[in-house]
Amino acid sequence: MTGHSIITPKAPTPEVSVNGVVIPAKAIAAETQHHPARRPEAAWQAAAEALAIREALLQAARARGVTAPPATETEPVREVEEDALIQAFVDQQVTTPDPDEESCRRYFSNNRDKLRAPDLYEPAHILLQASKDDPDGYERARLEAQTLVEHLQKRPDDFDRIARDRSDCSSASDGGRLGQVTRGQTTPAFEAAMMKLRPGEMTGEAVETPYGFHIIRLDHLVRGEVPEFELARPLVEEFLRDASWRRAVAQFVSLVVGEAKISGIEIRGATSPLVQ
């Protein structure tokens, strides 16, 4: 089966239990849809792990008398109550200190590129729509695009006029200008071609994307800068706080699981307290 179908192992599997509480095979089978894997056995193992970790946390929370806010009327009561109980348990048991200035400055110094503002590109393009489902139309568009490239290499000032007259993009009315874009906002092929251009340059050949053929001109490029430490500090603090919390939760979950008697599976590592 593929997609989100329920996966069941071909061979019988041992009964999974946590401190004597059996996790039904049906529940594990249903959980496998959240753990895609190449082999059904791997998906089954991951699902059983997740449910065993969840059960261990629920048992530990109840044993300590942890309570959670009641579910709302629009939410599935049992699932929400259990999720809320686990979250309340984790919040009660896991605390992390706020990052100090030395840690923030060290992270800032070692990760300046990650904190740099994104580069801003201002491209313009002429799009000739084409689909490979229409081989004849696709070939006509390809030849026309290359003819236009050759023309524009000789007469680049015609770019705006041709964009308005011929481009199949809504940007045609503005001479093909797309405004400011950053990485990830255009198709991979378009982005790769655009990033090779210097301001004022145009692609030397038509660029093929799922939309058709593009002739791309880069009008402006503003390189992103690294902000001053004080401006970046809130972001750095948030990242360090989150990273510290995740490590602490993983350690706490591993501790709870280590104290539980789990049979039927071997827990390789507890990284998340919640079932997906």
Side-chain angles (χ1 to χ4, degrees), residues 1-7 29-36:
M1 295 185 181
T2 59
H4 294 290
S5 59
I6 292 177
I7 302 173
E31 175 66 16
T32 57
Q33 64 183 306
H34 301 298
H35 304 272

Side-chain angles (χ1 to χ4, degrees), residues 58 61-62 66-68 80-90:
L58 287 170
R62 289 165 180 153
V66 178
T67 58
V80 169
E81 284 182 349
E82 291 184 346
D83 287 345
L85 181 58
I86 291 173
Q87 189 63 58
F89 185 35
V90 171

